[in-house]
Amino acid sequence: MARVQFHSHSFWQAKLNNSSDEYEDAFYADEDSSGATLIFRSAIADGATESSFAQQWAHLLVASYGSGELCYDDYAKRLPRLQQRWSRDITSRPLPWYAQEKLSRGAFAAFLGLTLSRSSPEAIDGSWESMAIGDCCMFQVRVNRLIHSWPYDRADQFGDRPLLLPSHPQFNLSVQDSVISGHGSWQLNDKFYLMTDALACWFLRAIGPTSFMTGALKRLSDISTANNFEAYVNNLRKSKQLKNDDTTLICIDVS
Amino acid sequence: MSYTAEISRVNPSCFLFLVDQSGSMQDPFGSGEIIKKKADAVADTMNKLLQELVLKCAKSEGIRDYYHVGVIGYGTQVGPAFGGALAGRELVPISEVAESPARLDERTKKIDDGAGGFLEQKVKFPIWFDPIANGGTPMCQAFGRAQTILAAWLAQHADCFPPTVINVTDGESTDGDPTTIANSVKNLTSSDGAVLVFNVHLSSQKSVPVEFPDSDAALVDQYAKMLFGMSSVLPEHLRAAAAQEGYRVSDGTRGFAFNADLVSFIKFLNIGTRPSNLR
């Protein structure tokens, strides 16, 4: 009997008029080519525009979640170590006065990590757990219907001033109790979408009260290449349905 | 909806500072326990405003030119006040301002170490302006110059987020009441709205500092009342941003500060996501 695999595809598009090396989101997803993975991790992060070195911070966060180093249970203990690593990486080079000052203010990022687990390679269902701070979102879709939206479930919850994960310890108290966790279950043929805020906000605005994936939402599952995604995003931006911002999507298919 | 244009490198906005460098700025500055002259307060305010604007635009790879900046000094004469490499220039991209302070002073800053203590860190503080106090206060002429500069800017950037003029002064204009010419400046528009005129009034009066008031009732100084009247009402988005920062605002809230700087205004300008961790 064929095993259930976790298939993931990640897509990204930098903000319009920014170059690709100015893209400040980050993403990570495990590979499960053999269908033997019992724990499948994925993560998405969105570096705050107004902070410097946010790209580096976002990358560090998703990589740490992917390796299992960062998890909800003891994130408060792990965070200072990640912050030191970020600072060490940045200060290894000489910086002009404004970069030094920005460094002292730290970088910030929204973050969401999702772990899918199962009891054995033969299992066709299992559980998921997630941790998040800020406005990255996770959507669970079953038979073309949104069954779970986390941590936001309405488009009006998005704003320009979310509470974010800091790269500098002076802000650690400000996020105490603000990193949240969620959990649920998955079954064969479920889809999970992880999105940074611009796309997530559009998604929630577009899904409507029936929660069925129709029209442009349905076409989300057909995206298979970077070019497809670029065209999809450009279309939404042109029609002013999507805010001009770095846009990132991870699609996870359990099949 | 006005004042919603995206500020970007392809569609930058503009800050124009008018800086009182007249002889009356030799007088003591009212606020704070340390005695200093109004000219010192002006120089401090300008250096902090420029620093904060540079930092707003600073990214890992350098400074993004979201803004063009000009400083017009008015005292013995009216004209561009930048020195050094920027001397004589009316508006320059913010990246050039960042690269061209007159000098970098070293100061010590206390930083929270996140473990209940503080670390002392040496930081470089950029200085573009030193105190100047000489001559009359041709404020009308300064606003006239602003009108010319901004009319030319708007001809090139018709869809920009409207320019902001910040006038830093003790208010004692010697070439007439600047209200009319200030109104002419406020009548200049981009497709996104009218030019904003804000005033920072630095007074010898030892009164409580005021930021973003919605009435002049608490302002006892006649010059403060005049400058308050000249100041633009905050557009809705900026009002909401001020409220998020903890300011009490109403529909009548104006861009005016008395014996305070407007660095907080620069901090809550919206060029993208700003973490609410920062206050």
Side-chain angles (χ1 to χ4, degrees), chain B residues 86-104:
Chain B
L86 304 176
R89 292 175 66 187
E90 287 182 334
L91 284 176
V92 298
I94 189 70
S95 57
E96 291 189 41
V97 176
E99 300 298 344
S100 310
R103 65 181 187 279
L104 292 171

Side-chain angles (χ1 to χ4, degrees), chain A residues 18 22 49 98 101-102, chain B residues 9 55 59 99 109 245:
Chain A
N18 279 12
E22 292 172 343
T49 314
Y98 45 82
E101 178 62 27
K102 273 309 259 282
Chain B
R9 283 163 293 182
L55 292 175
K59 301 297 291 182
E99 300 298 344
K109 193 164 118 169
E245 294 292 320

